[in-house]
Amino acid sequence: MSNSTVFRVSARVIWFSALFMGVLASIPKILQLHITLIELAVDASVAFLFSLFVWYFNIYSLPKFSNRQFTSRFFNLRLLYSLLLGIGLMFLLVSAHQLLFPHYKFESMIMMYEFRGILINLTIYMFLYLLYQSYHTQLIGIELERVKADHIGAQYELLKQQVNPHFLFNSLNTLKSMIEIGDAHSVEFVLKLSDFYRFTLNNRQQDIIPLSEELNILQAYMFLLEARFEEGINLNINIETSAAFTFIPPFTLQLLVENCVKHNVISLEHPLNIKLYTADDTLIVENQLQLKKNPEASTGMGLENINQRYQHLTQKEIRIEQNTISFKVILPLIYENPVDRRRD
C-alpha cells in the first residue's frame, strides 16, 4: 500500500475538542454555588492540557508514525501504554497546579482527576480509533480500485496491441491473390493495410480517442474485409452529426466488427450486413444472426474487456441484446474526455 499519504486530524479539531473536554470536565465545579471564574479556569486547564497530550500521543503512536503494524483490535498495548502514561501525566499536572495554586488543594481530589483522565483518554482513543479504522478502510478501497484499474488497463493494453494473426494472414493471402490476377485495387489494398496498422501504432497507447478517428480505423479495416469477402459483407453507417464529436476507447468498433465476422457465416449467397448507428445517446453495432455451424473458439475477452473499459472510464456498462434474428452491442456515448476531466 502506498505510503505517500499520512493520516491526519485537523489541529482545529484537536484544540477545540480539548477545550470542550476541559469545559465538560469542569461541569461539576460549575454546579457548585461558591466557585470563582479563576478556580473554574484552573480546573478546566488540567483537563484541557491532558486532552491535548492524549490526542497527540495517540496520533503519533499510529502505524504511520511508528514501526508497529496496524491492528483492528480496540484493546491493545497502545491503549494500555496510553492509559498508564495518562495516569502518570495527570499526577504531574495536578502536582504542578498544586504548586502554582496552593490554596486550591488539588491533592485532595487526585483520585477524581485520575478517573476523569481515564475517561478522557478512553473517549479520545475510541474516537481516534474509529477515524483511523475508516481511513485505513478507505486506503484499502483505493488500493483495490487502483489494482483493478491497472489490471483492466493491462488487459486492454494487451487487447489493443494484439493484431489478430489470422486477420494478417488472410489479408496477405488476399493481397497475393489480387496481385496474381492483376487487380487494379492492389495498391489501394496495400495503402489501406498500411493505414490500418499505422492507426494501430498511433492509438495503441491512448485510453480514448474521438469517434471520428475510430471511424477512420474502421473504414480502413472494412476495406480490407471487403477486398477479402467482396459483396459478402456490408457495413451501413448512420451516425448523427453531433455524435462525431464524442469519444470512444480505440479499436472498439473494429473489435466488434471482427466479432461479427468471427461468429457468422459470410458468403455472396448470405452476405453479412452490419449496421452502425446512434440512438438515445448510444452507439449501436448490430448484425443479423447467421451463426456458423462450427464457430471459432471464443474466450469472451473482447466484449468483457470493452465493457470493463467503459465501466472504468464512465461508470457505465455496455449492453448486449440478442434474439433469433439479430445481435446488438449498445455503447454509451461519451461526450467528454474522462481522462482530461480527471486531470482537471
Side-chain angles (χ1 to χ4, degrees):
M1 187 175 295
S2 173
N3 292 322
S4 59
T5 59
V6 176
F7 173 75
R8 290 184 176 87
V9 177
S10 168
R12 182 178 298 179
V13 171
I14 294 174
W15 283 76
F16 272 100
S17 65
L19 183 61
F20 177 75
M21 288 286 188
V23 173
L24 189 65
S26 299
I27 288 179
K29 287 281 187 181
I30 296 174
L31 295 178
Q32 293 181 14
L33 295 177
H34 305 289
I35 183 76
T36 65
L37 289 177
I38 296 177
E39 184 178 357
L40 189 63
V42 170
D43 184 73
S45 68
V46 175
F48 171 71
L49 293 173
F50 181 82
S51 298
L52 278 181
F53 171 81
V54 170
W55 261 115
Y56 285 109
F57 172 79
N58 280 297
I59 288 176
Y60 285 98
S61 62
L62 288 172
K64 283 287 181 184
F65 302 96
S66 69
N67 295 323
R68 288 187 292 274
Q69 297 295 316
F70 175 74
T71 174
S72 59
R73 292 179 302 168
F74 180 81
F75 294 101
N76 53 58
L77 286 177
R78 192 165 61 84
L79 174 59
L80 180 61
Y81 294 152
S82 181
L83 289 173
L84 291 176
L85 195 61
I87 290 172
L89 176 67
M90 182 59 80
F91 179 80
L92 291 176
L93 284 174
V94 171
S95 300
H97 277 70
Q98 183 60 58
L99 291 175
L100 292 172
F101 309 98
H103 58 286
Y104 286 131
K105 298 180 181 179
F106 284 95
E107 75 281 357
S108 63
M109 297 181 290
I110 185 65
M111 292 306 296
M112 182 270 290
Y113 280 108
E114 291 290 4
F115 180 71
R116 180 188 294 176
I118 291 173
L119 289 180
I120 292 173
N121 207 332
L122 285 173
T123 300
I124 292 175
Y125 181 87
M126 180 177 66
F127 183 62
L128 190 57
Y129 173 85
L130 293 175
L131 283 178
Y132 193 75
Q133 278 276 29
S134 175
Y135 165 80
H136 197 258
T137 301
Q138 287 179 352
L139 279 187
I140 293 174
I142 292 171
E143 186 70 12
L144 287 175
E145 285 299 317
R146 187 189 65 77
V147 171
K148 181 180 177 182
D150 288 347
H151 177 65
I152 293 172
Q155 278 189 324
Y156 194 69
E157 189 64 27
L158 177 64
L159 193 63
K160 287 193 295 184
Q161 295 183 20
Q162 165 186 301
V163 176
N164 190 324
H166 293 292
F167 171 71
L168 179 58
F169 177 76
N170 290 329
S171 296
L172 293 176
N173 271 343
T174 302
L175 177 61
K176 176 177 176 291
S177 299
M178 293 174 71
I179 293 173
E180 287 176 346
I181 64 174
D183 193 318
H185 295 96
S186 299
V187 174
E188 189 177 1
F189 184 91
V190 172
L191 292 175
K192 290 295 184 181
L193 184 61
S194 173
D195 284 344
F196 176 73
Y197 283 103
R198 178 170 55 82
F199 287 139
T200 301
L201 291 173
N202 289 343
N203 292 299
R204 65 180 181 176
Q205 300 299 329
Q206 302 297 321
D207 289 323
I208 199 164
I209 61 174
L211 179 58
S212 56
E213 290 186 26
E214 177 74 359
L215 290 174
N216 288 335
I217 298 174
L218 181 62
Q219 294 284 12
Y221 180 70
M222 282 304 302
F223 181 88
L224 302 177
L225 290 179
E226 288 167 356
R228 175 185 168 194
F229 295 110
E230 298 180 344
E231 295 181 359
I233 186 168
N234 300 297
L235 175 65
N236 179 32
I237 300 177
N238 184 18
I239 294 178
E240 297 172 358
T241 304
S242 58
F245 301 98
T246 60
F247 295 87
I248 190 170
F251 309 108
T252 298
L253 298 181
Q254 180 253 318
L255 288 168
L256 292 177
V257 170
E258 184 179 356
N259 195 57
C260 297
V261 173
K262 183 177 181 180
H263 296 288
N264 292 278
V265 173
I266 302 177
S267 66
L268 295 177
E269 295 79 15
H270 302 283
L272 177 64
N273 296 305
I274 303 171
K275 293 190 289 184
L276 174 62
Y277 58 97
T278 51
D280 300 324
D281 276 344
T282 62
L283 182 64
I284 302 170
V285 179
E286 178 182 356
N287 66 278
Q288 88 272 22
L289 277 182
Q290 44 194 49
L291 297 175
K292 295 178 179 178
K293 291 183 179 179
N294 298 306
E296 298 178 37
S298 174
T299 62
M301 186 181 78
L303 287 176
E304 178 57 27
N305 208 294
I306 291 172
N307 185 47
Q308 288 184 353
R309 199 59 181 169
Y310 268 89
Q311 284 182 309
H312 175 61
L313 290 169
T314 67
Q315 288 75 53
K316 296 179 181 179
E317 294 186 344
I318 68 172
R319 289 187 289 123
I320 298 173
E321 295 181 2
Q322 180 177 351
N323 52 41
T324 57
I325 300 173
S326 65
F327 182 87
K328 293 181 185 179
V329 178
I330 304 171
L331 310 170
L333 286 176
I334 305 173
Y335 287 95
E336 182 181 2
N337 191 332
V339 177
D340 291 341
R341 186 171 65 247
R342 286 197 294 268
R343 287 172 184 165
D344 294 338

